[in-house]
Amino acid sequence: MRDAAARPGSGDGGRPREVLRIRAFALFWSATTIRAFGGTIAGVAFQILIVTVLAASPFEIGVLTALGVVPYLFLGLIVGALMDRWRRQRTLVITSIGRAIVLGAVPVLLLLDTLDFWSLAAVILMLGVLTLFADSAAQPLLPHLVDRSSLVMANARLGQSETVAGTAGPALGGALLNLLGAPILFAFDAVINAVSAVLQSRITVTEAEPSPRIHGRHIGHDIVEGMRYTYGHRTLRPLALSIHVWFLGNSIVATVFAVFVLRELNLEPWAYGVALACGGIGGFAGALFAPAFGARLGAGRAILVGRLLVIVPWSVLALAPITASTGLALVLPMISGAQFIYGFSMGIEDANDTGYRQAVAPDAIQGRMNSTIRTMNRVIFFFGAFVAGMLATVFGYPLTLGIAAVIFAGAAAVVVFSPLRDARHEDAAKPGF
């Protein structure tokens, strides 16, 4: 099971070519990119609907937010096991069609004036389930679309487009909402998902048939096998543990950063938006350089660079003597720089992390390996957000950010003191690795 499986079109580690010239990946990338833009645009529209149209209470807002995460917590491992037995391309097409139908129902509900808390909760929950299936199918499908040596570049290209969507999408969504209105905006997003389904259906790919299930064996056995493989592998185990620790630190900064900047430092919303935009630029730049880092340093050390870099911005913000009375000329560059380094670190490590996982794990267990890591990450993030609130209440925001920096350092230490440090992308192609 530990041997890297042969994949259609896999090379032996030669120089990768530009992946957007590969038709199958170009279709996959196009579908993913427009769906990412549609998702961020719809995200803004949902937030505005919840606050202005439904006038939801803080408790109801919390419930609606949690519904987007719940499928990952309760169905993540099951869906991951299914993706090792289902056609992944077909799953992507079906989920895009499903998202188009669900999103298309929102303007109907708005026009009929029947959209309420419960109907919107059902929409968000269904979208969460469909997104889980789509994400679980996309990662193990990618190694079938490009050579093994091109996986880091492919993930970098996906990361670049998703970063642009995440940065520009909210502003675009707000502008379109004011210009077109919510019903047309949701109808537009439904069309985007329908186009995504068409693009995905045109991907030419050969997926291996799963081995027949042994008599008496059920999906629970498949899930356990995936967990044992992930946490028993000599390099995937430390990689998974490092990611989990990183997610704990990230749950803290993601929870308190906005409050720290807007309330503690009294930064204007426009300045906060500038800082976030710098994070997006950093993420794009990191993804741009990720393939070069991976090729020159190796997968392990490229991931380590990202893990080390992310310590810097939160350590600086924890120690810097800045308050609400500090001038904007000092605070804005510091906050923006912190976000740029934060995004840059993620851009470097994400492509190398995901590319290495896709290269080293056999195709027959890709879905379970990815879902094992992803589900644990969601659980950690979910509970880490609660811990972050308690830490900020007891210790204040700067010290809480400092605690997050220490946790990030722990994630880097896992890489340093494990075989992952010396792992290289080309090693994954060697028999018996």
Side-chain angles (χ1 to χ4, degrees):
M1 184 66 76
R2 295 185 182 221
D3 293 345
R7 296 175 177 83
S10 292
D12 58 1
R15 183 179 180 85
R17 59 171 170 153
E18 172 52 56
V19 288
L20 288 175
R21 296 178 181 174
I22 302 171
R23 183 176 184 275
F25 177 77
L27 290 168
F28 179 86
W29 176 85
S30 300
T32 302
T33 299
I34 64 171
R35 204 195 82 175
F37 270 99
T40 54
I41 291 171
V44 172
F46 273 123
Q47 292 171 2
I48 294 174
L49 278 182
I50 291 169
V51 175
T52 61
V53 177
L54 298 183
S57 67
F59 175 77
E60 290 175 329
I61 293 174
V63 171
L64 292 173
T65 302
L67 286 175
V69 182
V70 164
Y72 287 89
L73 300 181
F74 293 98
L75 298 175
L77 295 174
I78 296 173
V79 173
L82 292 175
M83 287 307 102
D84 284 334
R85 294 196 164 274
W86 289 8
R87 296 287 189 182
R88 294 146 183 174
Q89 181 203 15
R90 185 182 302 164
T91 300
L92 282 178
V93 175
I94 292 173
T95 54
S96 293
I97 294 172
R99 286 176 60 86
I101 293 171
V102 173
L103 287 165
V106 177
V108 176
L109 293 171
L110 284 170
L111 293 173
L112 295 177
D113 198 24
T114 55
L115 184 71
D116 57 14
F117 172 81
W118 294 108
S119 59
L120 187 58
V123 166
I124 291 175
L125 181 60
M126 285 188 286
L127 288 175
V129 172
L130 290 166
T131 301
L132 168 60
F133 273 91
D135 290 346
S136 300
Q139 276 192 325
L141 178 64
L142 185 57
H144 290 268
L145 306 181
V146 301
D147 290 343
R148 191 192 306 273
S149 60
S150 298
L151 282 170
V152 177
M153 183 183 290
N155 281 289
R157 294 292 178 263
L158 292 168
Q160 289 162 7
S161 59
E162 289 174 4
T163 298
V164 172
T167 303
L172 181 61
L176 289 175
L177 187 66
N178 287 331
L179 182 65
L180 304 176
I184 296 179
L185 183 60
F186 279 107
F188 175 68
D189 195 24
V191 172
I192 285 179
N193 278 272
V195 173
S196 179
V198 172
L199 293 172
Q200 290 162 346
S201 69
R202 292 173 62 83
I203 296 173
T204 301
V205 61
T206 302
E207 298 185 63
E209 290 286 345
S211 57
R213 191 185 295 276
I214 301 173
H215 179 70
R217 183 183 174 95
H218 53 71
I219 195 169
H221 294 104
D222 293 342
I223 292 173
V224 171
E225 183 181 52
M227 296 180 73
R228 284 177 176 168
Y229 174 83
T230 303
Y231 295 115
H233 193 282
R234 64 184 296 270
T235 53
L236 287 180
R237 177 178 63 251
L239 177 57
L241 294 177
S242 177
I243 295 171
H244 299 335
V245 176
W246 184 93
F247 258 81
L248 178 60
N250 195 54
S251 68
I252 295 175
V253 300
T255 302
V256 305
F257 178 71
V259 186
F260 169 65
V261 169
L262 296 172
R263 186 177 298 171
E264 187 89 350
L265 301 182
N266 198 28
L267 207 64
E268 293 291 334
W270 69 265
Y272 174 66
V274 169
L276 293 184
C278 288
I281 295 171
F284 184 89
L288 192 65
F289 287 105
F293 273 85
R296 180 175 293 273
L297 302 178
R301 283 182 167 81
I303 293 169
L304 179 59
V305 168
R307 296 280 194 268
L308 291 173
L309 279 176
V310 77
I311 302 170
V312 176
W314 309 114
S315 299
V316 170
L317 292 182
L319 298 173
I322 53 175
T323 64
S325 61
T326 306
L328 183 64
L330 176 62
V331 174
L332 183 57
M334 186 173 294
I335 296 296
S336 299
Q339 278 292 306
F340 180 88
I341 297 173
Y342 176 50
F344 188 78
S345 71
M346 287 192 289
I348 291 174
E349 65 180 279
D350 281 354
N352 283 284
D353 168 347
T354 307
Y356 182 75
R357 279 189 273 158
Q358 290 168 330
V360 77
D363 180 64
I365 207 165
Q366 282 271 336
R368 284 168 286 170
M369 179 271 295
N370 284 311
S371 69
T372 295
I373 296 174
R374 182 170 50 242
T375 300
M376 185 59 68
N377 289 344
R378 294 300 191 279
V379 172
I380 290 171
F381 192 95
F382 186 78
F383 289 103
F386 287 105
V387 173
M390 291 188 290
L391 289 174
T393 301
V394 175
F395 299 113
Y397 296 109
L399 185 53
T400 299
L401 292 176
I403 292 172
V406 172
I407 294 173
F408 283 131
V414 173
V415 179
V416 171
F417 299 107
S418 74
L420 177 62
R421 181 192 62 214
D422 299 319
R424 301 190 67 87
H425 292 290
E426 55 267 28
D427 291 339
K430 296 177 181 178
F433 182 78

